Amino acid sequence: MSDKTNKPDENERADAGGPHFIEQIIQEDLASGKHERIHTRFPPEPNGYLHIGHAKAICVNFGLAKKYDGLCNLRFDDTNPTKEETEYVDAIQDDIRWLGFDWEDRLYYASDYFEQLYAWAEKLIQEGRAYVDDLSADEIRAHRGTLTEPGKNSPYRDRSAEENLDLFRRMRAGEFPDGSKVLRAKIDMASGNINMRDPVLYRILRAHHHRTGDDWCIYPMYDFTHGQSDSIEKITHSLCTLEFEAHRPLYDWLTENLEIYPPRQIEFARLNMSYTMVTKRKLLKLVQEGTVSGWDDPRMPTIRGMRRRGYPPAAIRNFCDMVGVAKVNSTVDLAMLEYCVRQELNLHALRRMTVLHPLKLVIENYPEDQVEEMDAVNNPEKESDGSRKVPFSRELWIEKADFMEDPPKKYFRLSPGREVRLRYGYFVTCTGFEKNDAGEITEVRCTYDPATRGGDSPDGRRVKGTIHWVSAAHAVPCEVRLYDNLFTVPDPAAAEDVQAALNPDSLQVLTGCMGERSLGEVEEGQRLQFERQGYFCVDPDSKPGAPVFNRTVGLRDSWAKIQKQQAGGKKKG
RNA sequence: UGGGGCGUCGCCAAGCGGUAAGGCACCGGGUUUUGGUCCCGGCAUUCGCAGGUUCGAAUCCUGCCGCCCCAGCCA
């Protein structure tokens, strides 16, 4: 038996187009024999949680390695002990694994290379290509010049190799206070590229490192670490984001002067998304001020947030393939991510019926204590998921929005005198309703047609609408959390005031929702479709018999569009 | 007004001298026991602008214009 799976095949990649520019380079390198097999790496700094932007970098690095039968390492770029923590190295590994990637036994830390890096620094010093500078940070800045004016040489620039070596060794030995000296590359203070104006290679920093403890009081800078780490690991293609483009000359200068294996750095554009902000500092503030519940708040653009929200890892991977790899700064429409999430969930999420805003429906001609077990398909996209029994009885919960006393045009649901189908149940015809003093509908009454059991009409009679329902006597009360964009502006990162850009309605908590009987037993993290409403997943806050669901994303809603059009039409007269 | 990048549909993105792929979004129509899915159709005479080369240019040349990155002892 074959599943009736539609379009997106398991093996089908959601490519944006032909091979992108990095793939072209890889293909050429493989064809020319420059490399027998490619080797990439994902090099996060363990100073925070991974977000959607990192997801793209992960997919690019691990994805390319996989596609071209190469390898991808995970390497923590941990050269700044003041910012890095073990908590993050654990979380990062967890997130990458969850995304579906594996570095096997190739887990590395730049800090593992400190001794080698130090030796290379001495080599540079001995060859007159690096010197110890006594200038203060402010003085170095002043000597650096500006974008349009060249810098000035440090007065310490011409110390002898012997003196530099002695000083550098004493730096390591801890003879000088923090910040009193640095090691600099001797390149060109007049270079148009500011990164080449004698960049700092080492600084004195007495801080406890999460891995090397207090072994070192001098730490290498990014520029003096990254390329060499790539070299040590024989990385063939070192992929990074655009802002490192100006660092490439330095990257190359170092591998050249150190005479070590030269990986090739290639830069591509980082991922930006509309209505989303990944600025670590600002995100941290949201967490600290309690605007969100934590780094895993389902509204957060973090991998943990998306995970709790219910985004399947495959959806994120597809999304990353879909947006492509290029050098243009771009901002991808959030709708594209949501499309990928729906696509994945449509194929794999089991269907269930849940009433979010309950309204009692009484079937007047249905026997008082009769209960029927109706067959309901678990997933129309996947026959092998089978079906389940859903109890049907005289009193049901239906969605408030599925009844209107005075419906507008094109409204296909229940209203006085109108017949609709109760999904997998019966055809029912509205016979009346009750209101309270406030004018709210409190109950709807109807009669059913026994001949339409299961929802089919033997006489071929058609109804325009099909609504979902839950047997009142069998309902599982639950909490449902609805999410919307955290921000109301397309580019929150550019907002002067983050607080003002926040969407006050980004979270809506619904209590007293009524789920079908099967929802009494769910597993944390389980992803479901609540028919006609959207995709939901079981939140860790769930308790036995009292599930809490997060709305991952709503179903596409053409009725909402019609309503919007009708409202717009009225406005314009 | 230094250096390095980038400009193809509302948003991504192919295109690599032979006469503008694809996806998202949007708009129509069909199927449908989810107003979901799926299916069909529409959606850039034009590639930041202006010149030039060529039988022929989004693709080559020149000059403009616009946007992004770099002046951490951050990565």
Side-chain angles (χ1 to χ4, degrees):
Chain A
M1 179 182 66
S2 71
D3 288 346
K4 180 203 156 199
T5 34
N6 292 314
K7 246 316 178 26
D9 186 77
E10 310 272 328
N11 303 315
E12 184 176 324
R13 268 167 48 92
D15 265 321
H20 56 69
F21 81 102
I22 297 177
E23 285 190 75
Q24 292 182 20
I25 291 170
I26 289 174
Q27 288 173 4
E28 283 162 20
D29 290 347
L30 253 20
S32 71
K34 178 179 179 186
H35 300 299
E36 244 171 57
R37 122 187 127 175
I38 67 159
H39 208 327
T40 59
R41 102 270 88 119
F42 174 61
E45 180 186 14
N47 70 341
Y49 289 93
L50 261 26
H51 53 65
I52 184 69
H54 295 111
K56 175 177 175 179
I58 292 168
C59 289
V60 168
N61 280 295
F62 280 95
L64 248 19
K66 188 170 193 175
K67 178 165 181 178
Y68 290 94
D69 205 24
L71 299 171
C72 180
N73 298 352
L74 169 59
R75 179 172 75 233
F76 286 100
D77 220 331
D78 55 352
T79 59
N80 185 352
T82 64
K83 294 187 175 174
E84 297 142 9
E85 294 171 27
T86 308
E87 173 196 349
Y88 297 126
V89 340
D90 295 338
I92 288 169
Q93 294 186 58
D94 187 50
D95 286 344
I96 299 172
R97 275 196 207 95
W98 177 78
L99 257 186
F101 296 104
D102 185 9
W103 52 91
E104 299 174 306
D105 60 346
R106 298 179 310 283
L107 169 62
Y108 302 116
Y109 295 83
S111 54
D112 287 347
Y113 308 141
F114 281 174
E115 199 59 58
Q116 173 64 261
L117 257 14
Y118 176 84
W120 276 330
E122 286 206 349
K123 171 182 164 74
L124 245 33
I125 291 170
Q126 280 162 335
E127 293 171 358
R129 293 202 160 89
Y131 62 97
V132 172
D133 196 344
D134 294 2
L135 254 28
S136 70
D138 283 344
E139 291 167 325
I140 286 180
R141 187 180 313 122
H143 277 74
R144 190 148 31 218
T146 68
L147 295 179
T148 51
E149 306 159 40
K152 291 191 288 278
N153 284 174
S154 163
Y156 302 97
R157 197 174 199 258
D158 295 314
R159 291 214 256 225
S160 68
E162 294 66 36
E163 185 182 2
N164 281 319
L165 198 54
D166 173 61
L167 253 17
F168 187 54
R169 286 177 176 165
R170 289 165 62 193
M171 275 170 67
R172 175 178 184 173
E175 290 187 29
F176 310 112
D178 286 11
S180 60
K181 285 178 170 40
V182 293
L183 180 72
R184 292 229 254 170
K186 190 190 282 190
I187 307 181
D188 177 11
M189 289 306 291
S191 172
N193 182 345
I194 291 181
N195 295 301
M196 298 299 268
R197 317 238 266 229
D198 291 10
V200 171
L201 269 21
Y202 267 91
R203 74 282 214 185
I204 303 174
L205 198 59
R206 286 174 178 77
H208 190 80
H209 187 280
H210 73 110
R211 299 202 89 227
T212 61
D214 299 312
D215 292 353
W216 297 84
C217 64
I218 58 173
Y219 289 94
M221 299 290 289
Y222 164 84
D223 284 312
F224 195 70
T225 305
H226 206 95
Q228 288 100 301
S229 299
D230 286 339
S231 182
I232 291 168
E233 295 173 23
K234 293 286 187 292
I235 299 303
T236 56
H237 304 268
S238 179
L239 314 179
C240 61
T241 43
L242 257 26
E243 66 268 30
F244 290 102
E245 219 151 14
H247 290 248
R248 189 172 0 117
L250 178 52
Y251 184 106
D252 293 338
W253 186 92
L254 283 165
T255 50
E256 209 176 300
N257 286 285
L258 257 15
E259 300 170 289
I260 56 178
Y261 172 80
R264 199 229 280 212
Q265 174 178 304
I266 303 170
E267 312 83 13
F268 64 95
R270 66 158 14 108
L271 171 66
N272 299 298
M273 265 197 318
S274 58
Y275 298 95
T276 306
M277 179 186 72
V278 292
T279 316
K280 223 172 273 178
R281 203 187 75 254
K282 294 180 180 175
L283 249 25
L284 175 64
K285 206 172 168 218
L286 295 179
V287 173
Q288 288 174 336
E289 293 176 352
T291 307
V292 295
S293 65
W295 288 99
D296 67 340
D297 186 296
R299 292 166 292 180
M300 292 285 271
T302 50
I303 292 187
R304 299 170 106 65
M306 296 189 287
R307 178 177 179 175
R308 186 166 178 184
R309 173 85 168 247
Y311 288 11
I316 296 173
R317 278 186 257 123
N318 277 332
F319 171 70
C320 290
D321 282 341
M322 197 181 271
V323 301
V325 176
K327 300 197 68 158
V328 234
N329 284 308
S330 59
T331 301
V332 177
D333 195 336
L334 225 200
M336 212 188 277
L337 210 208
E338 296 189 333
Y339 168 84
C340 292
V341 171
R342 288 193 187 100
Q343 174 183 261
E344 189 66 23
L345 259 14
N346 175 52
L347 258 24
H348 304 293
L350 298 184
R351 314 291 122 125
R352 292 293 183 261
M353 292 197 285
T354 297
V355 173
L356 266 31
H357 299 92
L359 171 64
K360 183 65 72 69
L361 176 72
V362 179
I363 308 169
E364 294 169 327
N365 60 339
Y366 195 86
E368 289 275 354
D369 14 78
Q370 179 170 313
V371 175
E372 286 182 89
E373 295 289 334
M374 315 304 276
D375 287 311
V377 173
N378 282 328
N379 184 355
E381 306 295 331
K382 208 179 190 178
E383 218 176 280
S384 61
D385 280 336
S387 64
R388 67 190 183 286
K389 298 287 188 187
V390 181
F392 184 91
S393 63
R394 185 171 192 268
E395 292 196 6
L396 310 174
W397 293 113
I398 62 169
E399 211 65 55
K400 270 182 181 151
D402 286 340
F403 173 82
M404 280 187 102
E405 179 182 357
D406 184 22
K409 272 201 169 68
K410 294 185 183 171
Y411 183 82
F412 301 151
R413 288 109 94 156
L414 223 42
S415 61
R418 197 177 293 175
E419 182 172 48
V420 300
R421 170 171 36 237
L422 294 177
R423 175 148 241 230
Y424 303 126
Y426 290 97
F427 280 17
V428 294
T429 303
C430 179
T431 55
F433 60 94
E434 286 171 20
K435 271 188 189 178
N436 62 16
D437 295 340
E440 299 161 336
I441 310 287
T442 54
E443 184 178 297
V444 176
R445 306 192 70 85
C446 66
T447 55
Y448 83 114
D449 176 357
T452 58
R453 189 176 199 283
D456 284 312
S457 58
D459 60 0
R461 188 165 88 248
R462 320 272 290 188
V463 287
K464 296 281 275 188
T466 298
I467 66 174
H468 61 98
W469 49 274
V470 169
S471 168
H474 309 267
V476 176
C478 52
E479 175 177 322
V480 173
R481 299 172 184 168
L482 306 180
Y483 301 100
D484 195 357
N485 295 344
L486 234 196
F487 301 100
T488 53
V489 297
D491 184 10
E496 356 47 59
D497 182 6
V498 172
Q499 209 62 28
L502 281 172
N503 175 6
D505 303 316
S506 60
L507 169 63
Q508 196 186 341
V509 178
L510 266 31
T511 53
C513 301
M514 298 295 174
E516 65 169 72
R517 181 226 268 147
S518 70
L519 262 22
E521 281 180 51
V522 289
E523 282 173 38
E524 184 179 314
Q526 190 177 355
R527 293 184 275 258
L528 303 164
Q529 181 195 105
F530 288 167
E531 297 222 15
R532 299 210 302 135
Q533 311 204 94
Y535 297 98
F536 295 77
C537 87
V538 182
D539 190 85
D541 286 347
S542 298
K543 300 281 183 298
V548 175
F549 297 100
N550 294 315
R551 183 174 66 189
T552 306
V553 64
L555 249 28
R556 279 182 60 202
D557 187 354
S558 55
W559 168 239
K561 273 181 196 169
I562 293 170
Q563 281 178 303
K564 204 174 277 182
Q565 284 170 2
Q566 289 178 342
K570 269 177 205 161
K571 263 182 201 167
K572 283 166 194 161

